[in-house]
Amino acid sequence: MPNLEAARALASRIRLAEDLRGDSFVEKEFSGREEHRDSMLRHGLLISSSVTPLLERRISEVCERLSVPREAVTAFVYNGSDVQADCLVDTPETCVLRFTSGLVNLMDEKEFQFVVAHELGHFLLGHGACSQHSKSKSTEGFLIQRSRELSADRIGFL
């Protein structure tokens, strides 16, 4: 049975020591983030079992493996030739994943699932809600961002 707390506990055990905890959610950090989901609904393709059954199955398998409730994740594909994916945490319990069509067309099933798990890793570790270090151009900010990416990669390997 998927359980967000269990998923976060698993992610915390995998977190690199240098990945400063970012999972202290503050309500003001989420203001305005609902517009991101609305924008994707207007300009992207919602990944769902009726429209994109293969992508939906791949995301659902990753969610199940990581114990993330599928309803906590809204995912979209948007037009773009570059290979990009991102995760925006819009509430402490939900996130929005975005994938370019270039990424979806390029990757096989396992590669795509790694990317999904990597992005969900950012959600589980709280990277999307607490980013005071990620914008820093200091050496410390760079090292923290690098360790966050490595922590998310570890989750991707699961």
Side-chain angles (χ1 to χ4, degrees), residues 15 35 58 64 72 82 126:
R15 181 193 303 266
E35 287 137 23
R58 290 174 180 169
E64 185 176 333
D82 48 342

Side-chain angles (χ1 to χ4, degrees), residues 112-128:
F112 180 74
Q113 287 183 319
F114 172 86
V115 172
V116 171
H118 172 96
E119 295 304 331
L120 284 176
H122 289 301
F123 168 57
L124 295 173
L125 294 167
H127 296 160

Side-chain angles (χ1 to χ4, degrees), residues 17-152:
E18 298 82 9
D19 176 4
L20 299 180
R21 296 189 65 81
D23 53 2
S24 57
F25 297 109
V26 177
E27 200 62 39
K28 69 177 182 176
E29 294 172 340
F30 298 110
S31 65
R33 291 191 176 193
E34 61 278 351
E35 287 137 23
H36 181 73
R37 183 186 308 261
D38 293 341
S39 173
M40 287 308 302
L41 284 167
R42 285 191 303 277
H43 304 290
L45 176 67
L46 178 67
I47 295 176
S48 67
S49 58
S50 60
V51 179
T52 55
L54 187 59
L55 294 177
E56 172 62 29
R57 189 168 354 128
R58 290 174 180 169
I59 291 173
S60 293
E61 287 170 2
V62 171
C63 287
E64 185 176 333
R65 203 171 307 136
L66 295 176
S67 294
V68 174
R70 178 62 182 96
E71 59 274 6
V73 180
T74 307
F76 296 93
V77 175
Y78 66 99
N79 190 30
S81 59
D82 48 342
V83 179
Q84 293 290 324
D86 63 35
C87 174
L88 179 88
V89 180
D90 55 351
T91 75
E93 292 84 29
T94 61
C95 68
V96 176
L97 302 181
R98 299 184 327 147
F99 309 97
T100 61
S101 55
L103 179 138
V104 171
N105 290 331
L106 178 69
M107 298 197 162
D108 68 21
E109 178 180 352
K110 295 297 180 192
E111 292 169 329
F112 180 74
Q113 287 183 319
F114 172 86
V115 172
V116 171
H118 172 96
E119 295 304 331
L120 284 176
H122 289 301
F123 168 57
L124 295 173
L125 294 167
H127 296 160
C130 187
S131 58
Q132 71 268 20
H133 300 291
S134 64
K135 303 244 187 294
S136 172
K137 301 217 188 277
S138 70
T139 302
E140 180 187 12
F142 170 76
L143 292 173
I144 291 168
Q145 187 60 30
R146 181 174 162 243
S147 64
R148 287 179 173 184
E149 290 301 322
L150 291 172
S151 291

